[in-house]
Amino acid sequence: MVKRVWVIGIGPGGIDQVTVAAIRALNRVEVFLVPDKGAAKHDLVALREQICATYIDHDYRIIEVPDPERGPDAERSADQYAGGVRDWHRARADRYAELLTGLPEADAGFLVWGDPAFYDSTLRILDTLQADGLEFEVTVVPGISAIQLLAGEHRTVLNRIGQPIHITTGRRLVADYRAYGSDLGDLVVMLDGALTCRELRAEPLEIFWGAYLGAPEQVLRRGRLDAVIDEIVDLRARLRAAHGWIMDTYLLRPITPAGPTP
Amino acid sequence: MVKRVWVIGIGPGGIDQVTVAAIRALNRVEVFLVPDKGAAKHDLVALREQICATYIDHDYRIIEVPDPERGPDAERSADQYAGGVRDWHRARADRYAELLTGLPEADAGFLVWGDPAFYDSTLRILDTLQADGLEFEVTVVPGISAIQLLAGEHRTVLNRIGQPIHITTGRRLVADYRAYGSDLGDLVVMLDGALTCRELRAEPLEIFWGAYLGAPEQVLRRGRLDAVIDEIVDLRARLRAAHGWIMDTYLLRPITPAGPTP
């Protein structure tokens, strides 16, 4: 019977973004439950296996859990989107409930890309299982998120002095920026497969973009949004075609009267 | 002559929040430049030394750099505040410029609590030095920030499904929340020595608070803001008196009609 579930952030890519606390946690886990998203993200599966092989000293097993299908999100309203995500969490929770109750191991683990605190569903699914009556402890180990590596590789700070940082998704970006403008501070955009910042090209914004952060394939671009967005859109499409997948994120920074960041 | 400056995030406290990449970077640095903030944060100095002693295999030295005085911020406007911070960066930059040009070592390093990308001045000061004509490369190594450990220790995700995360400071919190409300998403508040969220006690908010995150002294509290804020204010004052210092941060989450997070 599983008594403890470890939710371990393993960073955005690259085996050296793992913390000492994460390595210790990896070595407590007897069985890893890993969503199987099909063959598309082959490089990521290999990287995950490399992290386990590099840092774990004992025997463990990995169970691949087929991920429930998700319908298309693009045309949905925010409420429909949240409802769709909840249905999908429910379907996932049912699969994990069945698995967890049948395991002989005491310590199960989930590996999370980046950090479990940013736009990840693992903790919500575990909340659902506990609300359903399953009894286990949860330990969370933070990991470096893609946005931290984005900032670090661009050698910049995410906030301007005394100003906020607004982390949002591609689906909300344009409406929120049009409503609140630079009052939101520096904008970090996650989960934006469509580079919706294209629609803001007329605005005084600087973009800091990064893909495959932390991996050997890492690519960075920065500049005034209107000057570089077409190149980034094109580059993203080519990289995605070449690798078969892409993970990217970006920062939009309001350009102040003094000009863009040096 | 210094040729490379390493800016290394060492996490929010606790020696096991350091990444493998950070350990590798620590071992490249020959001289660490460390702001000397006086005796007040004695525990932090000891922890920093423990991190170096634990992970560094070679000889290095630490130079303590007296920090310029900063005037009181509390009564200043946002513009005066930013100006005050810039003056203080300028004074710090002058001290570091003098030091860096006189060092015989090639690799200098700065240790940053948490992550260099969130509300830290090191990269801005290095930008100033480079703009002044000093020539050196900068490498940034991300670290776990206090807000990630806050979320992890509370076993929660920083965002609601599809909603933004707004990271702000105590000085902006109340005005921004009154202007934009729950449109900002979950609110993460940093640099708030006054727990200004007290002024929002009538609002439908849940607070997740943490102090000394990652250290043995760690303290957590959560609950409806109106129900727990007085206890947190009192507890914070007692902890600060007992330790001589405190570092804390918190998350404010809008309570939806369905009730607070389970």
Side-chain angles (χ1 to χ4, degrees):
Chain A
M1 274 287 289
V2 170
K3 293 196 163 43
R4 180 171 300 274
V5 176
W6 300 79
V7 181
I8 306 172
I10 54 174
I15 67 168
D16 58 355
Q17 297 296 331
V18 177
T19 67
V20 173
I23 292 172
R24 188 170 302 137
L26 289 172
N27 279 287
R28 293 284 303 274
V29 173
E30 298 162 289
V31 54
F32 292 97
L33 305 182
V34 167
D36 176 7
K37 294 177 189 289
K41 295 195 173 178
H42 184 74
D43 297 353
L44 288 176
V45 174
L47 178 55
R48 200 174 55 205
E49 284 170 2
Q50 195 189 350
I51 288 173
C52 289
T54 303
Y55 297 119
I56 303 181
D57 295 326
H58 67 113
D59 287 338
Y60 60 90
R61 59 179 181 138
I62 295 179
I63 299 180
E64 299 213 344
V65 187
D67 233 16
E69 290 287 326
R70 259 177 91 178
D73 293 330
E75 301 302 314
R76 297 178 179 191
S77 71
D79 280 354
Q80 287 172 325
Y81 173 79
V85 172
R86 273 190 287 267
D87 289 347
W88 177 73
H89 284 176
R90 181 72 253 173
R92 261 191 155 181
D94 290 343
R95 295 189 183 195
Y96 286 120
E98 202 183 317
L99 248 175
L100 284 173
T101 49
L103 291 174
E105 287 94 344
D107 288 274
F110 290 84
L111 303 176
V112 175
W113 291 110
D115 187 300
F118 293 104
Y119 297 93
D120 182 74
S121 60
T122 310
L123 287 169
R124 280 192 229 289
I125 290 166
L126 295 177
D127 278 349
T128 304
L129 296 179
Q130 290 179 322
D132 288 350
L134 263 69
E135 290 185 13
F136 52 83
E137 298 293 315
V138 175
T139 301
V140 181
V141 183
I144 301 295
S145 68
I147 64 178
Q148 292 167 281
L149 206 54
L150 175 75
E153 293 295 291
H154 279 293
R155 299 177 193 86
T156 194
V157 183
L158 289 171
N159 63 291
R160 300 297 80 197
I161 297 173
Q163 301 299 306
I165 303 165
H166 194 73
I167 306 176
T168 191
T169 60
R171 76 169 19 247
R172 288 187 60 111
L173 171 67
V174 174
D176 285 358
Y177 183 82
R178 294 215 191 282
Y180 306 125
S182 61
D183 279 5
L184 295 175
D186 284 20
L187 295 154
V188 176
V189 187
M190 303 185 76
L191 310 176
D192 184 9
L195 283 169
T196 50
C197 61
R198 281 188 276 196
E199 298 173 37
L200 298 173
R201 68 168 71 221
E203 304 290 335
L205 292 166
E206 189 180 8
I207 185 170
F208 299 73
W209 178 80
Y212 311 106
L213 287 156
E217 300 85 358
Q218 176 175 298
V219 183
L220 303 172
R221 287 291 183 279
R222 70 182 278 186
R224 284 187 64 108
L225 186 61
D226 55 354
V228 299
I229 185 60
D230 289 333
E231 186 209 336
I232 293 174
V233 168
D234 181 57
L235 177 60
R236 187 183 192 282
R238 283 188 287 121
L239 289 168
R240 188 182 186 171
H243 293 285
W245 63 279
I246 191 165
M247 291 216 299
D248 62 335
T249 188
Y250 59 92
L251 167 69
L252 295 176
R253 172 168 296 158
I255 295 174
T256 58
T261 322
Chain B
M1 274 286 290
V2 170
K3 293 194 164 42
R4 181 171 298 276
V5 176
W6 300 79
V7 180
I8 306 171
I10 54 174
I15 66 166
D16 58 355
Q17 296 297 330
V18 177
T19 68
V20 173
I23 292 172
R24 189 171 303 138
L26 290 171
N27 280 288
R28 293 285 302 274
V29 173
E30 298 161 287
V31 54
F32 292 98
L33 304 183
V34 167
D36 176 7
K37 294 176 189 291
K41 296 193 173 178
H42 183 75
D43 297 353
L44 287 177
V45 174
L47 178 55
R48 202 174 53 205
E49 284 169 3
Q50 195 189 350
I51 288 172
C52 289
T54 304
Y55 297 118
I56 303 181
D57 295 326
H58 67 112
D59 287 339
Y60 59 89
R61 59 181 182 135
I62 294 178
I63 299 179
E64 299 214 342
V65 187
D67 233 15
E69 290 286 327
R70 261 177 90 178
D73 292 329
E75 301 301 317
R76 297 180 180 190
S77 72
D79 281 352
Q80 287 172 325
Y81 173 77
V85 172
R86 273 189 287 268
D87 290 347
W88 177 72
H89 284 175
R90 180 72 256 173
R92 261 190 155 181
D94 291 342
R95 294 189 184 196
Y96 285 120
E98 202 182 318
L99 249 174
L100 284 173
T101 50
L103 291 174
E105 287 94 343
D107 288 274
F110 289 83
L111 303 176
V112 174
W113 290 110
D115 187 298
F118 292 104
Y119 297 92
D120 182 73
S121 60
T122 310
L123 286 169
R124 281 191 230 289
I125 290 166
L126 294 177
D127 278 350
T128 304
L129 295 179
Q130 290 178 322
D132 287 350
L134 263 69
E135 291 184 10
F136 52 83
E137 299 292 315
V138 175
T139 301
V140 180
V141 183
I144 301 295
S145 67
I147 64 178
Q148 292 167 282
L149 206 55
L150 175 75
E153 293 294 293
H154 279 292
R155 299 179 193 85
T156 194
V157 184
L158 289 172
N159 62 291
R160 300 296 81 198
I161 296 173
Q163 301 299 306
I165 303 165
H166 194 73
I167 306 176
T168 192
T169 60
R171 82 171 13 251
R172 290 187 60 112
L173 171 67
V174 174
D176 284 358
Y177 183 82
R178 295 216 192 279
Y180 306 124
S182 61
D183 279 4
L184 295 175
D186 283 21
L187 295 154
V188 176
V189 187
M190 303 184 77
L191 309 176
D192 184 9
L195 283 168
T196 49
C197 61
R198 280 187 277 195
E199 297 173 37
L200 298 173
R201 70 168 69 221
E203 304 290 336
L205 292 166
E206 190 180 7
I207 185 171
F208 299 73
W209 177 80
Y212 312 105
L213 286 157
E217 301 84 358
Q218 175 176 300
V219 183
L220 303 172
R221 287 292 184 278
R222 70 181 277 185
R224 284 188 65 109
L225 186 60
D226 55 354
V228 298
I229 185 60
D230 289 335
E231 185 207 338
I232 293 174
V233 168
D234 180 58
L235 176 60
R236 188 183 191 281
R238 281 188 288 119
L239 289 168
R240 189 182 184 170
H243 293 285
W245 63 280
I246 191 165
M247 292 216 298
D248 62 334
T249 188
Y250 59 93
L251 167 70
L252 295 177
R253 171 168 296 158
I255 296 174
T256 58
T261 322

